[in-house]
């Protein structure tokens, strides 16, 4: 059975992913400007939800919905045996597969590869559905942990003769999960692509019917609060026949911020915009709302501007326009032809009402019209350029028809091409245009900006949004703001053949956005930002692919191919990173993506240069080594996801960079890695430090221009390596449970096999089977404190003691969730922070087992050592926390306090003269300091801590010389400042 849902479904499903519908569609991108804009020409935004979903206090979550979905590419497969759901899928299907993963939900956004034979699936919708449901059931823990196959409802089962696409919408307790979907693509009787936007681990219960507000009461409460949300006075609630309770996931950059039971409402504001609002089903409070309008710029005529006023005008057919000839109603055909009787010259009256587009003048509600004369075999040309408000109406009619005719060449079955679309023209606002999910809207001219109905690029761009909105296959593709902006830009430049989009907007020939700039390429994710800026990445990648295919095939052959690939992404992609897989699927010719596609290399090359690659990697290098006279150390790197068929995927260089620790090598450096067993394995040799740690990273450059670096962790972007002979003081390889061997832990720490089913935890241990972690297969809790304390050690005179271990740590920015390592209660390490207060978002997310070396002896005094791992969480984001393996506290056996040599963590060493006495190097080889309990030169007292007699500055409380009533005020102030400096030094020393 061929199935489609209502055209509103794609927008409803878009709500959970933080789509960013923006009214400022033609504002020049902040990070990569393509037109010079003076500060006073920044374009207005009239929509309070213009830059994404607005979450209200009623949602009860902290954090901002993500602007786009961040993905990681590839995931290693564990050996046969107990493994994670991904490894189980790969082993069970027996094929070669690649993958991309949602950073926030850990769902595999796209899985593609060799495929699974599915005989009859292309010809039979029933066979395809049964096959998809069986695969779904077998691997439901991979697609949607916590869900069951019965939670997915089929909403689409369509074939275009080449690809059969099945879309399933996720439900929970009978309610649709907004944005939750799972989809399957068949080609040549093989299942070759599987995609998931499913929401994992839903536990929310549906509210009892008796506790829910009635539809009328709910609508009334929503309507009363619209202006408080910042919506315009024109905003009103309209009835929605399908307004039933649904689950709204609110998704942040790194995690699901929360889920709420809501009832969606449609809010209409006329030319001011359109919104989708989500109200709590029980209280009626607005949980979230989002704009449904897209914005950009445009132009129109029968004798119309070719791009914008000031350049040559052209005659275009008045396609399917209602006219009167000799007083008789008729319509032109697609080529502008019409017939009439009698065979004589006639009066022709034309307006801006057509079968496929209707222009509505919002300046004064008058409809542009003209009375012309037409002769048999003659032409009648309407040139409305003398009246701008009429000219814009005619221009929009002409250029919407041009856009429709162009889209018809690659999407002939798209229904909107034959349906009338309303274009509101001359709206009494400036510097904008929009598509609101139903109508196109164009603004009047001002001193700053041209009438957007008079710019053909803008008309094409706005129709691109309408195309996207209506082309999405339900449950398969999804509306994403940045992706829609990029594809609409690309449609516009494809029609004009000029990569500079929006010329004429500022009354000049400058492009507002350029898809082929001379000064470099926009790359994912470094050049993401406002959705139009982010959209340039996809649009520019498509333009570069277009150029490559034209160069290899010729324009006549290449344009249909690139447009077919483009439209496949329009229909099936859910965001910009997912477009690569959809292009490869559409390009495939045998139902097996593992053996490549005809244009695989061109796709990977051009999209790769824009950062849209499917390559990842890891380091298999040691953590700690003993040089034994060697001066160099070998490092090994492994790539995942590189195509061996594409020269552009060949690695042209691997640069390994290193930085030394506090001692050892005098400076850092770089070295080129060499190829190992094959192009996926690389080896480099770097200088070893001496009894010290160094940091290193690897930057890979592909022949096609794509680059990426290892390790993949924004918060800790360097690996560690330690050189030096050490002896173990306390070790645990986690083969046995250390919690039964003197280690103490707060609630939440667990020992056992690596869970492998949690999005932020490892699938396998680093060695053996077991790990020690904060939760096995679960995230850490909100507002919790976790502490793991190792047995206390007496290190005697050892002066270089270090903690060395393997970690898999996932934790929020330390501004919110500090993960620390302490020695005797003093901080020795903490996860990074963006240092932006409550806007901090530098999450620490390890994607492989990482070696870490932490020097301990510089952090404490005395010979007694206690090490602890800690994590304190707030009520916001939550991740996997600490996972530990192969942990050792070690010491350099040759760094001994009292041997007269300053080594390791020693601050001084006078040998036999070391003493816990005034002005002496202490017996633990620490320098004399205020607060150590010994009175040294310059100190009046030292009780080890502040007392009633001895101040924190090691001066006697109320000692003479300052601050007495008869003292010099200037001297008193100077002393106060001096005391402040001493306090600051003391506190710094105490923390150290």
């Amino acid at each position: 059975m061929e199935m489609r849902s209502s055209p509103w479904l794609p927008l409803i499903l878009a709500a959970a992913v933080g789509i960013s519908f923006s009214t400022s569609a033609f504002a020049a991108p902040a990070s990569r400007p393509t037109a010079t804009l003076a500060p006073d020409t920044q374009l207005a935004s009239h929509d309070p939800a213009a830059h994404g979903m607005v979450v209200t206090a009623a949602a009860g979550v902290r954090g901002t919905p993500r602007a786009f979905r961040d993905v990681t590419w590839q995931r290693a497969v564990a050996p046969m045996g107990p493994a994670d759901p991904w490894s189980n899928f790969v082993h069970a299907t027996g094929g070669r597969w690649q993958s991309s993963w949602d950073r926030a939900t850990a769902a595999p956004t796209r899985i593609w590869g060799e495929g699974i034979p599915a005989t009859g699936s292309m010809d039979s919708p029933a066979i395809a559905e049964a096959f998809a449901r069986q695969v779904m059931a077998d691997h439901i823990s991979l697609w949607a942990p916590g869900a069951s196959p019965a939670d997915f409802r089929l909403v689409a089962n369509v074939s275009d003769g080449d690809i059969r696409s099945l879309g399933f919408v996720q439900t929970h307790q009978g309610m649709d999960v907004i944005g939750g979907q799972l989809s399957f693509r068949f080609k040549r009787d093989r299942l070759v692509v599987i995609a998931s936007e499913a929401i994992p681990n839903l536990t929310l219960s549906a509210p009892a019917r008796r506790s829910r507000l009635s539809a009328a009461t709910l609508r009334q409460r929503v309507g009363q609060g619209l202006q408080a949300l910042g919506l315009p006075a024109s905003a009103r609630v309209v009835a929605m026949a399908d307004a039933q309770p649904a689950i709204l996931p609110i998704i942040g950059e790194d995690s699901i911020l929360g889920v709420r039971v809501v009832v969606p409402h449609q809010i209409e504001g006329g030319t001011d915009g359109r919104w989708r609002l989500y109200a709590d089903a029980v209280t009626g409070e607005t949980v979230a709302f989002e704009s449904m309008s897209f914005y950009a710029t445009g132009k129109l005529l029968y004798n119309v501007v070719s791009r914008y006023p000031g350049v040559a005008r052209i005659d275009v057919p008045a396609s399917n326009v209602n006219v009167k000839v000799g007083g008789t109603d008729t319509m032109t055909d697609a080529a502008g032809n019409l017939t009439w009787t009698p065979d004589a010259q006639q009066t022709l009256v034309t307006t801006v009402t057509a079968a496929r587009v209707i222009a509505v003048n919002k300046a004064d509600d008058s409809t542009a019209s003209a009375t012309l004369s037409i002769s048999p075999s003659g032409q009648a040309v309407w040139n409305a350029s003398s009246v701008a408000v009429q000219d814009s109406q005619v221009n929009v009619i002409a250029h919407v028809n041009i856009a429709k005719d162009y889209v018809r060449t690659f999407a002939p079955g798209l229904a909107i091409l034959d349906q009338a679309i309303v274009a509101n023209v001359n709206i009494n606002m400036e510097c904008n245009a929009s598509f609101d999910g139903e109508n196109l809207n164009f603004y009047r001219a001002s001193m700053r900006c041209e009438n957007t109905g008079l710019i053909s690029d803008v008309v094409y761009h706005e129709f691109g949004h309408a195309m996207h909105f209506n082309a999405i296959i339900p449950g398969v593709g999804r509306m994403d703001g940045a992706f829609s902006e990029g594809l609409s830009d690309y449609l516009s430049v494809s029609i004009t053949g000029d990569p500079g989009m929006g010329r004429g907007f500022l009354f000049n020939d400058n492009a507002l956005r350029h898809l082929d700039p001379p000064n470099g390429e926009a790359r994912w994710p470094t050049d993401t930002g406002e959705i139009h800026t982010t959209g340039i990445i996809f649009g520019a990648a498509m333009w570069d692919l277009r150029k490559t295919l034209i160069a290899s095939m010729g324009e006549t052959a290449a344009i249909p191919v690139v447009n077919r690939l483009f439209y496949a992404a329009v229909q099936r992609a859910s965001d910009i990173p997912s477009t690569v897989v959809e292009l490869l699927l559409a390009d495939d010719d045998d139902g097996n993506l593992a053996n490549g596609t005809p244009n695989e290399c061109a796709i990977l090359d051009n999209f790769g240069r824009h950062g849209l690659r499917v390559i990842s990697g890891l380091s298999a290098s040691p953590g700690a080594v003993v040089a034994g006279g060697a001066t160099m150390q070998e490092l090994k790197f492994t790539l995942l996801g590189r195509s061996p068929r594409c020269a552009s995927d060949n690695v042209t260089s691997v640069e390994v960079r290193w930085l030394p620790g506090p001692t050892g090598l005098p400076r850092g450096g770089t070295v080129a890695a060499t190829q190992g067993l094959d192009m996926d394995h690389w080896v480099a040799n770097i200088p070893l430090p001496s009894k010290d740690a160094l940091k290193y990273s690897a930057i890979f450059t592909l022949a096609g221009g794509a680059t990426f670096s290892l390790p993949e962790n924004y918060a800790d972007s360097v690996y560690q390596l330690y050189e030096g002979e050490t002896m173990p003081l306390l070790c645990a390889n986690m083969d046995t449970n250390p919690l039964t061997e003197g280690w103490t832990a707060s609630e939440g720490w667990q020992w056992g096999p690596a869970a492998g089913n949690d999005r932020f935890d490892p699938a396998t241990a680093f060695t053996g089977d077991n790990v020690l972690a904060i939760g096995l297969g679960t995230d850490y809790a909100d507002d919790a404190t976790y502490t793991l304390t190792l047995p206390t050690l007496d290190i005697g005179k050892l002066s270089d003691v270090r903690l060395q271990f393997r970690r898999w740590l996932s934790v929020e920015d330390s501004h919110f969730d500090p993960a620390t390592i302490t020695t005797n209660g003093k901080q020795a390490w903490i996860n990074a922070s963006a240092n932006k207060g409550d806007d901090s978002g530098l999450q620490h997310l390890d994607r492989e087992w990482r070696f870490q070396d932490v020097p301990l002896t510089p952090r404490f005094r005395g010979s007694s050592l206690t090490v602890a791992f800690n994590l304190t969480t707030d009520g916001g984001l939550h991740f996997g926390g600490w996972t530990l393996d192969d942990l050792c506290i070690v010491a350099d056996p040759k760094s001994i306090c009292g041997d007269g040599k300053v080594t390791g963590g020693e601050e001084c060493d006078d040998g036999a003269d070391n003493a816990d006495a005034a002005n002496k190097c202490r017996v633990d080889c620490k320098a004399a300091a205020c607060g150590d309990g010994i009175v040294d030169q310059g100190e009046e007292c030292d009780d080890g801590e502040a007392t009633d007699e001895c101040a924190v500055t090691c001066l006697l409380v109320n000692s003479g010389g300052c601050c007495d009533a008869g003292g010099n005020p200037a001297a008193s102030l100077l002393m106060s400042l001096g005391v402040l400096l001493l306090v600051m030094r003391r506190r710094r020393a105490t923390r150290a």
Side-chain angles (χ1 to χ4, degrees), residues 291-313:
S291 173
M292 295 162 56
S293 297
F294 293 94
Y295 295 82
T297 71
K299 180 176 188 168
L300 165 65
L301 253 234
Y302 287 21
N303 170 259
V304 296
V305 295
S306 57
R307 296 289 293 279
Y308 59 90
V311 298
R313 297 174 72 92

Side-chain angles (χ1 to χ4, degrees), residues 805-852:
F805 62 101
R806 295 283 176 167
R807 70 156 203 248
W808 195 304
L809 173 64
S810 55
V811 67
E812 190 179 6
D813 187 297
S814 64
H815 176 77
F816 301 109
D817 294 350
T820 62
I821 300 172
T822 57
T823 60
N824 294 2
K826 303 294 178 60
Q827 180 179 298
W829 183 88
I830 187 171
N831 55 305
S833 174
N835 293 316
K836 296 181 180 178
D838 286 347
D839 291 328
S840 298
L842 186 58
Q843 327 308 5
H844 181 117
L845 301 174
D846 287 336
R847 293 184 171 93
E848 58 181 306
W849 281 105
R850 298 282 297 275
F851 171 79
Q852 185 164 355

